[in-house]
């Protein structure tokens, strides 16, 4: 069979080109009400009083305020339980929910919001993560919040500063002082990344209803049905089987829909209304619900004259906004990956997760990693320039290699990093003369590379069902967010059972039916769910073989499977189709065989040393960019870009390329213009009118996506994962190209806006300009 | 108005957008809302053959006109339009949320091209449709393949 490595057409294609596909936003239930949320106009304030009497008196209107949060555990959060369903006594960012209203139409609900009176007492705000970490900063959560059971926490006290530091991570190796003492050059810089918007075109949406058993039904656009079920059960004091989470197709997520977001609020107001309630966020509310972590990275690196990096110290301040959400985990990941994919003898890496009065920062494609890659890969080119070593060559000299021990203690096996780097260099004509620029413009090239890990430990279950006609169904709680999971998972099953891919269908999540899956995050679906599905299918294959053995009167060891039949090796005429095996087994052409499997990755990092096993698999990627800079306006334009990712094994190459292209273009936006802007605590561009995302006109004229295949040990057919790999190296490759074009003038804060380019040129008079 | 070749008459509030009427009153949910401010193109439908952003276009304005939505692209016998087929074959989508609008913008572009009116290139024609998933490469490939037969 050749199901693996083949770009079979997407299973959801016919639904998506005809408009038949159903997303959560399309859900309508009989008797359903529509919710709207009253949100804080202040970045930080005490809530003195909420008077909803007038609103509640309007016909058909149901209001939810803090007073209704009885009989439940109102705070949620997957690391720290610090986020109330609606504000209890304090609001912490502009957009923080204060109350909610449900009514027959969204307009009626919106109108009722006007009738809720809230009395606020404004408090001092803090918007910068490093300032917020200082011990004299205004504190957002004066009471330390309980840890969620799933979170392996770090003692935050070690990293304070103020109570705003809600988590921290530290790891070290070697002797930092000795390392710097042995260096010929020391580079010390600060890099900054602003908050950015995910841009999921489908806003967050959820529909909740309660039945007369007291069971909660939720239809949601979440990436985490299994965990959202768990979180809702915790909040409402239910058992997991009393909560049902169904996830239709999801219209883009990129991390914005990981773990509970709006589901607790919708469930709470539906409980009060006694009717189904739907909430679909407006774009402005999506901005208030999720962002990528802003980050300030201080990086100090000691290098010998020959280019060997001997010491690196990083301190990264992750801005998690008003609530922790996944911040403690994203900052941990960024922390241990802050040294980069290099052999560095002496390292000290520290990250801080800090509250500020911004909208909550949540998972975002790359999960804390692009922020530090921006820092270390930009600095790498400053090092190369100072030592007069080619940037590609400098990386070659320091790259991690097969069998190296990472700073966490993980041993890296078969990394495809050098191949990824060489591939983009070749595609980008690295080393050949840069084309002549038009008058008034300059052209430069840059490369960058990155390493990322996957969420570990984690687990995924898969249940495979062989029907009497030989067709197959996979039950899984992994979410089709567009990445193509329903196609790739069908492929690994088809391969395992030697049947055509078209014989396999893959479920969407319904926690009443589909088994546990950690979440559709961290580039883990093909690796973890794919492995579970492969193992489950192998169990069915095994059952078919043993049934066929008795039916064919042959030894199992003499049997093989091909094209939906079991046959005796060497005599193809002694063969039975799957359907025939089942018919003989049950005595009728009806019934089904089951195969279940759980794939569990083990590991985790010790809270005190920061060491252990960080990841079950690793992702390696690289990018090379050629950028033209308008010397008068400062505007940078990407002319060409090549990206590569070590995917282990491409199950569906076309879908892998799509992941790379999408990552590339999103990262290009973050490099050149994307930024969520705040002015005195107020967000000023929470609309697509003001927040630009890359359109077709921003696309580089030339683009290469290269797949490197260094098989992983545990992934199905050697697959590693691909969803996030390319997001990290793109911005620094572009930044390095800009700096090269400007003779070394460097922008250290994203985005690389025209103003920053001109300022960098001004500060560096010797730059060619 | 005529929607996907079928005459419909509805009573709607004059302030209702065409997207709202299509989605909530007629249950034609293939038309998507994302930005609601005429920027992203997810809500694109054709009115008398011209692409409009139905999130801000009033249903009232469509009185007596012909509206084409993604649900009306497939042929009456159920066969997919060549553009739809090309989108599948070239993998021109991932999550699919932009796809309806993208198909209609492309459809209008191809119709113009067929009429010999190539005032725009494909990049300009689709510049008003945001796709956050794919990076556009396969979308352009699919449209050009249909254009060039
Ligand atoms: S929803 Fe109409 S253009 Fe974005
Ligand atoms: S396919 Fe997801 S936005 Fe285009």
């Amino acid at each position: 069979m050749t199901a693996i490595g083949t770009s079979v057409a997407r299973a959801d294609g016919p639904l998506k080109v005809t408009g038949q596909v159903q997303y959560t936003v399309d859900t309508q239930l009989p008797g359903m009400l529509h919710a709207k949320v009253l949100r804080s106009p202040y970045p930080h304030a005490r809530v003195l009083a909420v008077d909803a009497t007038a609103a509640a008196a309007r016909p058909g209107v149901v209001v939810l305020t803090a007073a209704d949060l009885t009989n439940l555990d109102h705070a949620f959060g997957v690391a720290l339980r610090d986020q109330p369903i609606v504000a209890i006594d304090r609001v912490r960012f502009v957009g923080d929910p204060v109350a909610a209203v449900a009514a027959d139409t969204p307009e009626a609900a919106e109108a009722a919001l006007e009738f809720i009176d809230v009395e606020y007492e404004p408090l001092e705000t803090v918007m910068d993560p490093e300032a917020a970490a200082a011990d004299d900063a205004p504190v957002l959560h004066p009471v330390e919040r309980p840890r969620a059971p799933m979170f392996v926490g770090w003692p935050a006290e070690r990293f304070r500063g103020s109570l705003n530091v809600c988590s921290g991570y530290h790891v070290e190796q070697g002797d930092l002082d000795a390392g710097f003492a042995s260096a010929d050059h020391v580079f010390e810089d600060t890099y900054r990344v602003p908050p950015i918007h995910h841009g999921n075109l489908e806003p967050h949406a959820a529909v909740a209803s309660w039945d007369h058993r007291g069971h909660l039904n939720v239809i949601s656009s979440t990436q985490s049905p299994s965990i959202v079920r768990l979180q809702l059960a915790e909040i409402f004091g239910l058992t997991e089987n009393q909560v049902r989470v169904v996830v239709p197709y999801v219209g883009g997520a990129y991390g914005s829909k990981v773990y509970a977001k709006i589901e607790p609020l919708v469930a709470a107001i539906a409980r009060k209304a006694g009717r189904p309630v739907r909430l679909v966020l407006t774009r402005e509310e999506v901005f208030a619900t999720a962002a990528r972590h802003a980050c300030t990275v201080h990086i100090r690196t000691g290098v010998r004259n020959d280019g060997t990096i001997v010491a690196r110290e990083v301190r990264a301040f992750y801005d998690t906004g008003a609530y922790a959400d996944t911040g403690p985990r994203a900052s941990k990941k960024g922390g241990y990956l802050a040294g980069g994919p290099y052999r560095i003898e002496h390292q000290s890496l520290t990250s801080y997760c800090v509250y500020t009065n911004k909208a909550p920062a949540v998972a975002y494609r790359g999960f804390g990693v692009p922020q530090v890659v921006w820092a270390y890969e930009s600095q790498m080119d400053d090092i190369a320039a100072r030592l007069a070593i080619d940037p590609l060559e400098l990386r070659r000299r320091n790259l991690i290699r097969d069998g190296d021990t990472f700073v966490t203690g993980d041993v890296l096996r078969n990394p495809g990093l050098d191949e990824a780097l060489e591939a983009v260099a070749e595609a980008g004509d690295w080393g050949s003369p840069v084309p002549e620029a038009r008058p008034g413009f300059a052209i430069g090239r840059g490369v960058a590379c990155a390493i990322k890990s996957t969420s570990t430990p984690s687990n995924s279950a898969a249940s495979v069902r062989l029907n009497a006609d030989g067709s197959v169904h996979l039950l899984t709680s992994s979410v089709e967010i567009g990445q193509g999971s329903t196609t790739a998972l069908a492929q690994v099953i088809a391969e395992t059972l030697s049947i055509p891919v078209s014989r396999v269908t893959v479920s969407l999540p319904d926690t009443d039916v589909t088994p546990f899956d950690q979440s559709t995050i961290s580039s883990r679906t093909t690796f973890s769910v794919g492995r579970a599905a492969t193992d489950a299918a192998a169990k069915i294959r095994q059952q078919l073989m043993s049934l066929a053995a008795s039916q064919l009167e042959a030894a199992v060891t003499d049997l093989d499977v091909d094209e939906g039949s079991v046959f005796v090796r060497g005599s193809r005429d002694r063969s039975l189709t799957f359907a025939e095996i089942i018919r003989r087994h049950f005595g009728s052409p009806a019934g089904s065989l089951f195969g279940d499997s759980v794939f569990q990755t083990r590991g985790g990092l010790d809270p005190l040393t920061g060491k252990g096993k960080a990841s079950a698999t690793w992702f390696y990627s690289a990018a090379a960019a050629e950028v033209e800079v308008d010397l008068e306006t400062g505007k940078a334009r990407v002319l060409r870009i090549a990206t590569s990712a070590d995917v282990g094994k491409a199950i569906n190459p076309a879908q892998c390329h799509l992941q790379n292209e999408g990552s590339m273009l999103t990262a290009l936006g973050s490099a050149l213009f994307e930024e969520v802007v705040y002015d005195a605590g107020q967000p000023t561009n929470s609309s697509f009118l003001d927040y630009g995302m890359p359109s077709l006109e921003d696309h580089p004229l030339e683009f290469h996506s290269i797949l490197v295949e260094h098989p992983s040990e545990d992934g199905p057919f050697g697959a590693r994962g691909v969803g996030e790999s390319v997001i990290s190296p793109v911005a620094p490759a572009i930044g390095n190209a800009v700096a090269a074009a400007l003779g070394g003038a460097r922008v250290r804060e994203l985005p690389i806006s025209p103003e920053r380019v001109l300022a960098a040129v001004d500060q560096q008079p010797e730059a060619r300009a | 108005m005529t929607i996907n070749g079928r005459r419909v008459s509805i009573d709607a509030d004059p302030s209702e957008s065409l997207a709202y009427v299509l989605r909530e009153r007629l249950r034609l949910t293939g038309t998507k809302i994302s930005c609601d401010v005429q920027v992203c193109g997810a809500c694109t439908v054709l009115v008398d053959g011209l692409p409009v952003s139905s999130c801000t276009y009033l249903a009232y304005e469509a009185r007596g006109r012909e509206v084409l939505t993604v649900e009306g692209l497939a042929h009456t016998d159920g066969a997919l339009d060549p553009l739809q087929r090309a989108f599948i074959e070239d993998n021109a989508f991932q999550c699919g949320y932009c796809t309806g609008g993208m198909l209609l913008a492309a459809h209008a572009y191809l119709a113009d091209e067929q009429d010999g009116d190539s005032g725009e290139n494909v990049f300009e024609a689709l510049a008003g449709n945001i796709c956050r998933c794919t990076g556009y490469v396969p979308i352009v490939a699919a449209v050009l393949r249909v254009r060039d037969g």
Side-chain angles (χ1 to χ4, degrees), chain A residues 416-575:
Chain A
L417 184 57
D418 48 352
E419 203 179 316
L421 195 55
E422 301 297 338
V424 294
E426 196 189 323
D429 293 328
W430 190 262
S432 75
V434 175
E436 184 88 38
R438 303 180 272 165
F441 290 79
I443 295 179
R445 290 194 187 130
V447 291
C449 59
I451 178 172
K452 188 190 174 287
S453 53
T454 191
S455 186
T456 305
S458 79
N459 92 66
S460 294
S463 185
V464 176
R465 215 169 58 194
L466 177 71
N467 301 312
D469 63 359
S471 67
V472 175
H473 208 78
L474 168 66
L475 298 180
T476 168
S477 293
S478 83
V479 183
E480 178 57 91
I481 53 177
Q483 83 284 42
S485 58
T486 48
T487 309
L489 294 173
Q491 288 179 258
V492 300
I493 289 174
E495 181 76 17
T496 309
L497 288 172
S498 301
I499 54 176
V501 179
S502 60
R503 300 284 273 173
V504 186
T505 56
V506 177
S507 75
L508 298 181
D510 173 347
T511 59
D512 265 9
V513 181
T514 55
F516 183 89
D517 180 34
Q518 201 85 28
S519 275
T520 299
I521 55 167
S522 205
S523 312
R524 64 183 291 289
T525 296
T526 301
F527 181 81
S528 288
V529 185
R531 173 61 190 275
T534 307
D535 293 350
K539 288 184 180 170
I540 291 196
R541 185 186 160 109
Q542 215 43 55
Q543 291 174 59
L544 286 166
M545 302 260 281
S546 50
L547 291 174
S550 56
Q551 292 168 5
L552 289 170
E553 296 177 355
V556 170
T557 45
D558 291 334
L559 298 181
D560 208 343
V561 177
D562 193 25
E563 294 189 7
S565 296
V566 180
F567 64 95
V568 180
R569 231 178 271 116
S571 48
R572 280 298 282 251
D573 52 327
R574 288 175 69 199
S575 110

Side-chain angles (χ1 to χ4, degrees), chain A residues 201 254, chain B residues 93-99 130-134:
Chain A
L201 286 198
Y254 325 108
Chain B
F93 53 86
Q94 292 187 284
C95 80
Y97 206 80
C98 68
T99 307
I130 298 287
C131 176
R132 190 63 151 176
C133 292
T134 64

Side-chain angles (χ1 to χ4, degrees), chain A residues 220-242:
Chain A
S220 164
S221 60
T222 182
Q223 295 172 253
S224 318
S226 301
I227 303 294
V228 166
R229 176 177 69 163
L230 195 67
Q231 290 182 286
L232 291 171
E234 276 169 10
I235 290 169
F236 292 100
L238 301 171
T239 54
E240 286 190 67
N241 64 351
Q242 293 170 328

Side-chain angles (χ1 to χ4, degrees), chain A residues 110 127 262 293 333 532 727:
Chain A
E110 182 84 44
M127 302 303 289
I262 62 172
H293 292 83
K333 186 162 302 221
I727 203 97

Side-chain angles (χ1 to χ4, degrees), chain A residues 688, chain B residues 32-43 53-56:
Chain A
F688 283 0
Chain B
K32 294 292 180 246
I33 296 176
S34 180
C35 71
D36 226 2
V37 288
Q38 216 180 321
V39 173
C40 73
C43 64
S53 294
S54 65
C55 65
T56 48

